[in-house]
Amino acid sequence: MEFPMMLLRLAEWVLYQLLANSYYRAARKMKSYGFHFGYLSSKPPPQPSSFPSVVKYDFESRESQTLVACDIHRVLLRSHSFFPYFMLVAFEGGSIFRAFLLLLSCPVLWILNHELRLKVMTFITFCGLRTNVMDSISRAVLPKFYLENLNLHAYEVLASAGSKVVFTSVPRVMVEGFLKEYLSVDAVVGTELHTVGCYFSGLLSGSGLLVKHRALKDYFGDTKPDIGVGSSAVHDHLFLSLCKEAYVVNNEESKSNFNSVMPRDKYPKPLIFHDGRLAFLPTPSAALVMFMWLPFGILLAIYRILLGILLPYGWALSLGVWSGLNLQIKGILPEKSEQKQGVLYVCTHRTLLDPVFLSTCLAKPLTAVTYSLSKVSELIAPIRTVRLTRDRKKDGETMQRLLREGDLVVCPEGTTCREPYLLRFSSLFAELADEIVPVAINTHVSMFYGTTASGLKCLDPIFFFMNPRPSCYIQVLGKLPRELTCAGGRSSCEVANFIQKQLADALGFECTTLTRRDKYMMLAGNEGIVQQDKRTTKC
């Protein structure tokens, strides 16, 4: 009898915590804010602050001082909600089912207090997640969204100090990589997660949720940090009172003030490479729209792919545009070559579909060479594709043979880049043809990225076509004058660099010397070479 009674008491306690004890908080929230599905943040009611705003901060002679920031959300980031970043980890690191479960928990999260909300989201997001997967996400996925939401005023204050320490209640593994790599923070003190071997258990470590003012005392001891930056919330005041000088970030002013938005040209570090499928910040409402769209998006992607495979160029283009695909082409089409070989089209590389879009818009068959293409992509490609070996001599012979058979498309960057940058061009193409036509290609998506460095590449075309209105802009530049080719006395490197600059100017992009290897080393921790056996026991 004792065991059943214990179960009944436990059930009674759970019901009290989740229902009876939460109804009052829910009613108070509905009265104060109204029911808003996106309200899953730690935003407290506005309170008057006794500390000055960060906009009144004096930047002179701060290089030798120590600054502490109270949390990243609501202080360093303009958004006060941390739900989207948990959703990013759940979707990109876990699975679509884990992300859907997190979305389904929103009604429960809405009525929980700050501490329980964090614990529930942490459990759903991290339970069973590999530690090395989280390392990859913190390096390749989250920085893009953190940079886009960075508070300019708070960052300038942070950057002015010589030594910087950030205290945060969210899991340390979610923010430490970004804070150290992009904001040059010396130390990050956050909530620690419990692990079992190579996996997160989803539970907090023995120390529990970080209490920021206690963590500051433990870290600095009797020494007071010179500068403290926090939010205007009441529970941050105790933290700020332990600093010699303190400033607050007003979240409502930051959200409405356009001057607090961090422009791209002021990023502390250029954002060139990033990974992940989601092209938007998955707030609760945005994530709900995505899951509602998924069934239609999959069918639409299949429909668009079949158009290119089964129909002639004109029909495929017309029906593709009718389905929401936005294709724009401009420029002068090259005249037919008088030589006994085809024209070499040199393109920027945004997605695997670049040669397909060019072939469709030109209404002529083209052959595309590639270094890495999945079997599925080869199977569904409506144009001819030929694999290269990365052996310069063999690849040169292959491309010369293909040029004798017809027109050829090459992407000398060797890999895709999502941001407005061009990677270093391989000079091999310049040695093979005298008739070279540069083609500037840019794409835009609103929901899913059609490229990946660490995911399944066979799904790249499907994810691109799942976007409601994906767009592709193509500008065919004039045929390169003979005097600017190798036949005119230029070296292959000079030709490659000239075309890279020409294409960058046409798109408004910036040229870099980064390569395919640089991209994969940063995003995937490898050189981008597909291994025959991917099974591994390493964490």
Side-chain angles (χ1 to χ4, degrees):
M1 291 295 293
E2 293 185 2
F3 182 71
M5 288 301 297
M6 290 177 62
L7 289 178
L8 287 174
R9 290 177 182 175
L10 178 61
E12 181 184 8
W13 180 85
V14 171
L15 288 174
Y16 173 77
Q17 290 293 329
L18 293 181
L19 298 177
N21 195 35
S22 298
Y23 283 156
Y24 176 71
R25 288 193 299 270
R28 290 291 299 271
K29 287 182 179 180
M30 292 180 68
K31 180 179 179 181
S32 302
Y33 303 104
F35 185 79
H36 182 6
F37 189 57
Y39 183 77
L40 289 172
S41 70
S42 55
K43 175 185 173 183
Q47 298 286 342
S49 175
S50 57
F51 301 105
S53 172
V54 289
V55 297
K56 299 180 180 180
Y57 178 79
D58 184 6
F59 289 90
E60 292 186 9
S61 303
R62 300 289 190 174
E63 294 80 6
S64 61
Q65 294 185 333
T66 299
L67 182 145
V68 295
C70 180
D71 232 317
I72 176 172
H73 302 281
R74 300 182 293 112
V75 178
L76 296 179
L77 300 183
R78 291 184 298 113
S79 61
H80 53 254
S81 175
F82 41 68
F83 176 88
Y85 305 99
F86 280 91
M87 177 60 76
L88 283 168
V89 176
F91 186 92
E92 306 290 1
S95 66
I96 191 171
F97 303 105
R98 186 191 294 265
F100 187 62
L101 179 61
L102 183 61
L103 180 65
L104 290 179
S105 70
C106 285
V108 176
L109 295 175
W110 184 76
I111 61 176
L112 298 179
N113 60 29
H114 171 75
E115 183 175 348
L116 283 176
R117 188 182 307 144
L118 263 178
K119 289 181 178 179
V120 172
M121 285 195 294
T122 298
F123 181 80
I124 296 175
T125 303
F126 286 93
C127 182
L129 189 69
R130 294 180 68 96
T131 55
N132 63 341
V133 171
M134 184 61 229
D135 292 339
S136 177
I137 294 173
S138 65
R139 179 180 64 252
V141 177
L142 293 176
K144 169 189 181 291
F145 297 95
Y146 285 145
L147 283 172
E148 291 176 349
N149 283 278
L150 203 58
N151 186 309
L152 177 59
H153 299 316
Y155 165 71
E156 290 175 339
V157 172
L158 182 75
S160 67
S163 177
K164 299 174 274 288
V165 182
V166 173
F167 295 84
T168 177
S169 57
V170 300
R172 177 185 54 81
V173 293
M174 291 181 62
V175 298
E176 184 176 37
F178 168 73
L179 291 172
K180 290 187 174 181
E181 179 70 19
Y182 285 86
L183 304 189
S184 301
V185 171
D186 299 288
V188 179
V189 183
T191 298
E192 299 293 337
L193 300 183
H194 179 259
T195 58
V196 179
C198 300
Y199 297 88
F200 292 105
S201 66
L203 304 176
L204 306 184
S205 66
S207 56
L209 199 68
L210 183 83
V211 180
K212 286 169 280 190
H213 70 275
R214 294 177 186 170
L216 186 145
K217 287 182 178 180
D218 294 338
Y219 189 89
F220 287 97
D222 296 331
T223 305
K224 280 191 173 185
D226 300 301
I227 311 162
V229 179
S231 71
S232 55
V234 173
H235 54 71
D236 281 358
H237 284 203
L238 182 57
F239 175 92
L240 295 175
S241 65
L242 300 175
C243 305
K244 296 178 182 177
E245 187 179 350
Y247 297 87
V248 296
V249 176
N250 190 306
N251 297 298
E252 293 303 319
E253 289 181 1
S254 298
K255 289 175 64 177
S256 59
N257 186 3
F258 185 76
N259 293 329
S260 67
V261 178
M262 173 74 75
R264 175 178 286 274
D265 59 358
K266 289 190 177 182
Y267 279 2
K269 181 180 178 180
L271 178 67
I272 300 177
F273 300 128
H274 58 86
D275 205 11
R277 291 295 190 185
L278 296 184
F280 64 98
L281 186 67
T283 60
S285 55
L288 176 62
V289 171
M290 178 195 70
F291 279 104
M292 293 174 63
W293 170 256
L294 274 178
F296 303 100
I298 293 173
L299 295 176
L300 186 59
I302 296 173
Y303 169 76
R304 288 167 171 170
I305 291 173
L306 291 177
L307 289 180
I309 297 175
L310 302 177
L311 299 182
Y313 295 115
W315 289 18
L317 183 60
S318 299
L319 292 176
V321 172
W322 177 82
S323 72
L325 185 63
N326 182 20
L327 284 176
Q328 302 179 43
I329 184 168
K330 61 182 295 188
I332 302 174
L333 300 183
E335 299 177 357
K336 188 175 181 180
S337 174
E338 298 178 358
Q339 301 183 11
K340 294 183 180 180
Q341 66 176 11
V343 175
L344 180 62
Y345 292 93
V346 180
C347 303
T348 55
H349 203 7
R350 310 304 285 177
T351 71
L352 294 177
L353 298 165
D354 299 336
V356 176
F357 289 141
L358 179 61
S359 176
T360 303
C361 291
L362 295 179
K364 61 189 299 186
L366 301 174
T367 300
V369 291
T370 176
Y371 287 114
S372 177
L373 194 66
S374 69
K375 294 292 185 182
V376 175
S377 298
E378 284 183 325
L379 181 65
I380 66 176
I383 64 174
R384 182 186 179 191
T385 60
V386 177
R387 286 176 179 264
L388 299 180
T389 63
R390 299 194 183 279
D391 182 297
R392 190 177 181 87
K393 183 179 179 181
K394 290 183 180 179
D395 291 344
E397 293 173 352
T398 300
M399 293 171 68
Q400 284 182 329
R401 174 177 57 81
L402 294 173
L403 279 170
R404 288 193 294 269
E405 298 174 2
D407 294 343
L408 184 65
V409 181
V410 61
C411 300
E413 290 175 275
T415 188
T416 57
C417 182
R418 299 173 176 177
E419 297 300 314
Y421 298 93
L422 292 186
L423 307 186
R424 189 182 73 188
F425 276 26
S426 169
S427 60
L428 176 61
F429 74 90
E431 303 171 5
L432 306 176
D434 299 332
E435 295 197 6
I436 301 174
V437 178
V439 181
I441 298 180
N442 193 18
T443 58
H444 175 74
V445 295
S446 58
M447 191 172 289
F448 302 108
Y449 284 115
T451 61
T452 182
S454 57
L456 294 175
K457 293 184 179 297
C458 61
L459 298 179
D460 285 357
I462 296 176
F463 270 104
F464 182 84
F465 282 128
M466 280 172 58
N467 285 282
R469 283 190 59 82
S471 64
C472 181
Y473 169 82
I474 301 175
Q475 182 178 355
V476 181
L477 306 183
K479 187 181 295 185
L480 205 65
R482 182 178 177 81
E483 60 270 17
L484 295 179
T485 65
C486 292
R490 300 297 182 99
S491 69
S492 59
C493 289
E494 287 179 319
V495 176
N497 291 338
F498 176 80
I499 293 179
Q500 183 198 35
K501 182 66 168 59
Q502 190 180 26
L503 293 174
D505 291 341
L507 295 172
F509 287 4
E510 183 178 337
C511 295
T512 74
T513 58
L514 298 172
T515 65
R516 181 181 189 274
R517 182 178 183 276
D518 296 323
K519 169 186 171 179
Y520 278 88
M521 286 300 295
M522 175 184 174
L523 299 184
N526 57 59
E527 297 186 8
I529 300 175
V530 178
Q531 303 294 331
Q532 295 299 322
D533 187 1
K534 295 184 178 180
R535 289 175 297 179
T536 178
T537 57
K538 297 174 105 177
C539 287

